[in-house]
Amino acid sequence: MSYLPVDSARPEPVRVGLIGAGWMGAFHARSLAERIPGATLAAIADPAIEPATKLAAELGVEKVTADAADLFADPAIDAVVIAGPIRFHAPLSIAAARAGKHVFCEKPGSTTLEELAEIEAAVAEAGVHWQIGFNRRYAADFLAARRDLAAGVVGTPQLLRSLTRDPGNGSIPHAARVPQWTMFLETLIHDFDALNWMNPGAEPISVHVFADALVEPSFKDAGFIDTAVATIRYSNGAIAVAEANFSALYGYDVRGETFGSAGMVQAGRATETAACRYTADGVGAETPRLNIELFADAYRDELADFAAHVAGRRDGTAAPEHGVPVTPGLADARRALALARACIESVQSGAAAGVAGSAPEGTHDGAGSVAR
């Protein structure tokens, strides 16, 4: 008796170059190198060459450079993950697309809608896959809630809520170094995408924002914002609230909710697990303190989804199927950024602002359609 022959041919992993080896970039690097079967980390680029070299050595990556252009020129690189400062997201996305590289870009895709239009043109001309890092879509509870929405559990959405409370200790020592509109472009941008995603088929029309520096009031005159609430009106008549604060003493708190004509779905919780202790001191539970703790699986799953899309284009295989639209692309990046820019306009004017790209606000009928 002899062993039977086995076809051991496996698809080649997607060879990814990482741009930006900071906090989030390093987490993505470890995921690509160790946790995502369909991808491999082939190179790292970062102007801060010393920490990049150290990370590469830790992960067994042989190619390290201070210049992202080296990745674009490397025929062995299939795709890039852009995890550098947001001011570089647009030029790097454009350069990568023009070099024929598929792109995963951390949020936001750019800081202006004009830049995002340039990315869209470059991506369309090159025919590459471009994906943005809206990781909440991949969190198990948010994805379950979205599937319930698709199944009609909620009926017609009427009220939505999304919140982000970053962990802190009651002060923000680095407040002076935080760019002015970080609240909207880097924090609430996740909530804007979550609300858009959890109200399928509707478009944001207008937004009214109240924002302040309540954690670090001494920086308010410099334009610093650490607390904000945005009320958003959608084309189906639904009203949404997005809120954020930069210093939650109890931990990292991200939640979402959609209430509608037939019910409600919720996602997220403030506690790390469902485990809860009951003692003479009261009731308590552990809470997450880092984004890479709360969304560890979601961060990995979004990269796995990206690698599967790239491999699908290369090998002619079907794109991943999630049961509902999940993979966030340029249209999703544009809708979220349009909301962020409208929020900035609202803060500056003190009044409601229209959302670019949306139809003008009108009345809506009982079915949720807008009448002009």
Side-chain angles (χ1 to χ4, degrees):
M1 185 173 181
S2 60
Y3 291 111
L4 296 175
V6 176
D7 183 4
S8 60
R10 295 180 181 178
E12 285 290 322
V14 172
R15 295 160 298 189
V16 181
L18 173 73
I19 303 174
W23 171 260
M24 199 65 243
F27 185 86
H28 286 326
R30 293 185 176 93
S31 296
L32 290 164
E34 303 171 347
R35 304 295 294 272
I36 300 174
T40 185
L41 181 61
I44 298 175
D46 195 309
I49 196 65
E50 186 174 340
T53 302
K54 182 178 179 181
L55 179 64
E58 173 192 335
L59 298 175
V61 177
E62 297 180 355
K63 296 180 179 180
V64 187
T65 178
D67 190 350
D70 293 333
L71 272 59
F72 303 148
D74 188 346
I77 301 294
D78 300 312
V80 296
V81 168
I82 299 172
I86 67 171
R87 65 185 181 276
F88 300 123
H89 286 189
L92 287 171
S93 284
I94 293 168
R98 288 174 177 168
K101 310 301 183 187
H102 304 281
V103 179
F104 178 94
C105 184
E106 269 300 341
K107 50 75 188 171
S110 65
T111 57
T112 69
L113 291 169
E114 292 76 14
E115 282 185 334
L116 199 60
E118 293 179 29
I119 298 173
E120 290 178 292
V123 167
E125 183 177 354
V128 297
H129 177 68
W130 190 95
Q131 187 171 324
I132 190 168
F134 286 145
N135 58 286
R136 290 183 199 182
R137 295 180 174 218
Y138 296 87
D141 47 357
F142 278 85
L143 185 51
R146 180 61 178 81
R147 286 170 175 153
D148 278 347
L149 285 165
V153 171
V154 166
T156 302
Q158 296 171 347
L159 294 171
L160 299 94
R161 184 185 183 205
S162 183
L163 66 86
T164 299
R165 296 173 186 165
D166 289 342
N169 59 11
S171 68
I172 307 173
H174 61 283
R177 302 194 305 274
V178 176
Q180 184 177 15
W181 303 118
T182 293
M183 172 61 72
F184 305 111
L185 293 173
E186 297 195 59
T187 300
L188 280 169
I189 194 94
H190 278 298
D191 298 271
F192 300 150
D193 178 68
L195 291 170
N196 290 339
W197 190 52
M198 299 290 276
N199 191 13
E203 293 294 329
I205 293 174
S206 64
V207 61
H208 196 171
V209 179
F210 292 91
D212 210 331
L214 301 182
V215 182
E216 292 288 355
S218 62
F219 289 95
K220 180 178 179 179
D221 291 342
F224 177 71
I225 294 172
D226 55 40
T227 307
V229 176
T231 302
I232 305 161
R233 186 74 174 192
Y234 278 88
S235 59
N236 62 347
I239 301 169
V241 174
E243 66 163 85
N245 183 281
F246 284 165
S247 187
L249 273 66
Y250 58 88
Y252 190 34
D253 187 2
V254 173
R255 285 174 277 153
E257 177 180 292
T258 301
F259 170 91
S261 58
M264 178 180 71
V265 293
Q266 293 179 320
R269 61 181 175 222
T271 58
E272 191 170 12
T273 70
C276 192
R277 69 180 70 91
Y278 297 78
T279 70
D281 295 325
V283 180
E286 298 299 327
T287 57
R289 299 284 165 165
L290 299 173
N291 60 331
I292 59 174
E293 293 174 348
L294 182 62
F295 288 116
D297 289 340
Y299 284 133
R300 295 178 185 121
D301 287 347
E302 67 180 353
L303 288 182
D305 187 44
F306 172 68
H309 275 275
V310 173
R313 292 195 177 208
R314 181 193 64 195
D315 304 332
T317 55
E321 177 55 55
H322 303 282
V324 293
V326 173
T327 309
L330 280 158
D332 304 297
R334 184 173 58 252
R335 293 173 76 218
L337 182 60
L339 262 172
R341 299 306 312 185
C343 284
I344 293 170
E345 181 182 342
S346 178
V347 171
Q348 291 173 324
S349 68
V355 180
S358 296
E361 186 168 9
T363 59
H364 60 91
D365 61 26
S369 61
V370 177
R372 307 289 180 216

